[in-house]
Amino acid sequence: MFALLFDPSAGAAGDMIMASLLDLGADEKRVRKAVESVGCTLEVSRQEKGHISATRAQVISDRRYHSLEEAVSILEGSSLQEKALKWALAALDILADAESRVHDVPKSRAHFHEVGALDALADIAGSCEAASSLKADRILSRPVSVGGGYVQSAHGLLPVPGPAALEILRAHNIPWMGGPVDDELLTPTGAALLAALVDEFVPRFPLIQAERVGYGAGRKDLATPNLLRALEARIVSPTRGTGMDHQNDRVVQLETNVDDVTGEVLGHLIEQLMQAGALDVSVIPAVMKKGRSGNVIRAISSHEDMSKLAGMIVRETGSLGVRVFPSLHRFVAEREERTVDLNLDGVTYSVAIKISRMDGSLVNVKAEYEDCRRIAKEAGVPLRMVIKKAEELGWRAADK
């Protein structure tokens, strides 16, 4: 498994994350285009911190955004696409949620006091584009060092970590520690990006073969070099005690009870949730209060899709609320997709197959249902026969 690993032992900020990924080999043209598309310019240079040569990424801007709606509009109009845009919007939402909780206002009215400058939005856009260009299977991080002492803010002198950064650490179960210096090492933007990008925080790195190492320079001159280290590596063999005994990730479970929703609406909801990014959806028959029959709707979601999917459940079913079970850990098999060629009566068809492994051992092979259904219809043969033949080919291909 190919992984991107962050080592924020000297903290993390938006510019440091972007710089570390550029130093690692992220596509600078794409990153520069992303920064410019939100109205800023990017200066990339070499800098030495503690005798270590690193990349410095400095965004130039004199503008600000003032609301979540305005910031979302800027990102949606940027050059970001697909995964990079999804990550960037998630990081922005995480920031807005933290600010709304700290100031006890609705998220839509949250004011970005500490991170409202447009350069922070450019740091988010550039970092997400950089991570997307590296195409890692998973993104891991060690615990974050946040620094110590006090920091001057728009609200006066505040303890480190600052309120918004601390709220992000709390809400997303990010492991952290104080030190190693009395200064602010983790910014709200850095915390939001780690929460959005990282699949798993591990106490120490698993057994790896490092292929590339990158250093992102921060703005401060400290006793500890103000650097964020990032690595591209192959995970050789998950080792006990690293948090990588199996592949696992953090998910959210959404759940609600309904007793007046038709089967047709439930079927439509399942389809809509899966298309919107749900990892799994189930509808479970249940006996509700007063003996009424009903259903429990349960969806598994990533953190960034949680609000969107919960809103969809409410709109489609009329439910008055959705229960959220945050930060559940799930063990998942390593997944690989291939294509096999299936010959039926002299005609060759391509079938996508999904191969699952656990700790390197083959667990299962499953043929793509839609491909098999299409082939069965075109060839005029039973669907179960197409699935069986395709999966037999898949098992043979997986063993090679």
Side-chain angles (χ1 to χ4, degrees):
M1 182 173 61
F2 201 62
L4 169 62
L5 306 102
F6 287 114
D7 183 10
S9 55
D15 60 340
M16 294 171 68
I17 292 173
M18 177 165 48
S20 71
L21 297 178
L22 285 169
D23 202 44
L24 201 56
D27 190 324
E28 184 176 331
K29 288 184 179 179
R30 285 173 53 180
V31 174
R32 191 176 296 278
K33 182 179 179 182
V35 170
E36 292 173 350
S37 70
V38 299
C40 301
T41 58
L42 176 65
E43 292 184 359
V44 179
S45 59
R46 300 299 297 172
Q47 197 170 94
E48 193 171 280
K49 294 277 188 179
H51 304 293
I52 298 174
S53 180
T55 292
R56 176 85 172 96
Q58 186 175 5
V59 171
I60 310 299
S61 173
D62 59 359
R63 295 168 51 202
R64 298 183 65 84
Y65 63 89
H66 301 283
S67 68
L68 177 61
E69 182 180 8
E70 182 183 356
V72 168
S73 177
I74 293 171
L75 285 178
E76 289 182 338
S78 72
S79 66
L80 299 182
Q81 295 181 355
E82 299 177 351
K83 183 183 289 187
L85 179 59
K86 181 179 179 181
W87 277 336
L89 290 172
L92 180 63
D93 188 71
I94 289 167
L95 274 173
D97 189 61
E99 290 288 351
S100 71
R101 287 180 179 274
V102 168
H103 299 291
D104 195 23
V105 297
K107 190 189 303 185
S108 60
R109 290 172 48 204
H111 292 285
F112 297 85
H113 297 283
E114 302 302 318
V115 294
L118 196 62
D119 59 356
L121 199 62
D123 285 340
I124 290 175
S127 296
C128 293
E129 187 64 53
S132 175
S133 76
L134 292 172
K135 302 188 187 313
D137 297 316
R138 284 175 66 75
I139 301 179
L140 309 178
S141 177
R142 291 184 61 199
V144 188
S145 296
V146 302
Y150 294 84
V151 61
Q152 187 66 46
S153 76
H155 304 288
L157 206 59
L158 297 173
V160 171
L166 180 58
E167 177 58 29
I168 293 169
L169 293 170
R170 181 204 66 78
H172 296 274
N173 292 324
I174 298 175
W176 60 279
M177 64 190 79
V181 296
D182 278 348
D183 209 317
E184 184 185 32
L185 297 183
L186 178 69
T187 66
T189 303
L193 278 167
L194 289 177
L197 292 172
V198 174
D199 295 307
E200 184 183 4
F201 291 86
V202 295
R204 53 187 175 274
F205 289 151
L207 185 62
I208 61 174
Q209 290 178 334
E211 297 194 355
R212 288 193 288 188
V213 181
Y215 291 92
R219 290 175 287 181
K220 299 181 178 181
D221 292 316
L222 306 169
T224 296
N226 191 206
L227 295 170
L228 174 65
R229 182 168 62 175
L231 300 88
E232 272 191 335
R234 294 192 180 278
I235 297 179
V236 178
S237 175
T239 307
R240 290 197 178 277
T242 64
M244 288 293 297
D245 301 295
H246 302 284
Q247 262 197 300
N248 60 91
D249 59 7
R250 296 182 302 156
V251 294
V252 174
Q253 181 174 301
L254 307 174
E255 188 177 283
T256 190
N257 297 354
V258 295
D259 60 6
D260 58 352
V261 179
T262 66
E264 291 86 353
V265 170
L266 291 173
H268 175 72
L269 175 63
I270 292 172
E271 182 179 344
Q272 293 299 304
L273 290 173
M274 294 300 294
Q275 289 179 355
L279 303 172
D280 193 18
V281 183
S282 56
V283 176
I284 306 163
V287 177
M288 318 297 283
K289 62 183 180 181
K290 299 182 181 179
R292 292 196 295 264
S293 61
N295 294 282
V296 178
I297 301 169
R298 184 174 295 161
I300 304 298
S301 164
S302 63
H303 280 263
E304 54 265 31
D305 287 336
M306 170 178 62
S307 298
K308 175 179 66 176
L309 297 180
M312 187 176 292
I313 292 172
V314 170
R315 288 193 302 273
E316 293 290 340
T317 67
S319 171
L320 297 179
V322 176
R323 297 181 291 277
V324 178
F325 301 89
S327 292
L328 301 177
H329 284 74
R330 63 171 188 166
F331 291 95
V332 294
E334 302 163 26
R335 300 172 188 178
E336 175 188 354
E337 292 189 7
R338 293 192 190 180
T339 301
V340 296
D341 291 329
L342 175 62
N343 189 285
L344 294 175
D345 295 328
V347 180
T348 300
Y349 302 91
S350 292
V351 185
I353 58 168
K354 296 178 181 178
I355 301 169
S356 303
R357 289 185 171 89
M358 185 70 77
D359 294 340
S361 299
L362 187 60
V363 175
N364 192 32
V365 172
K366 187 175 180 62
E368 179 62 46
Y369 169 75
E370 292 297 337
D371 285 355
C372 292
R373 186 176 70 165
R374 171 180 52 79
I375 293 167
K377 184 176 180 180
E378 291 178 8
V381 297
L383 173 62
R384 59 186 177 83
M385 184 188 79
V386 176
I387 293 174
K388 181 180 178 181
K389 287 182 177 294
E391 291 181 348
E392 287 174 352
L393 290 170
W395 279 97
R396 290 201 290 271
D399 282 331
K400 294 180 180 179

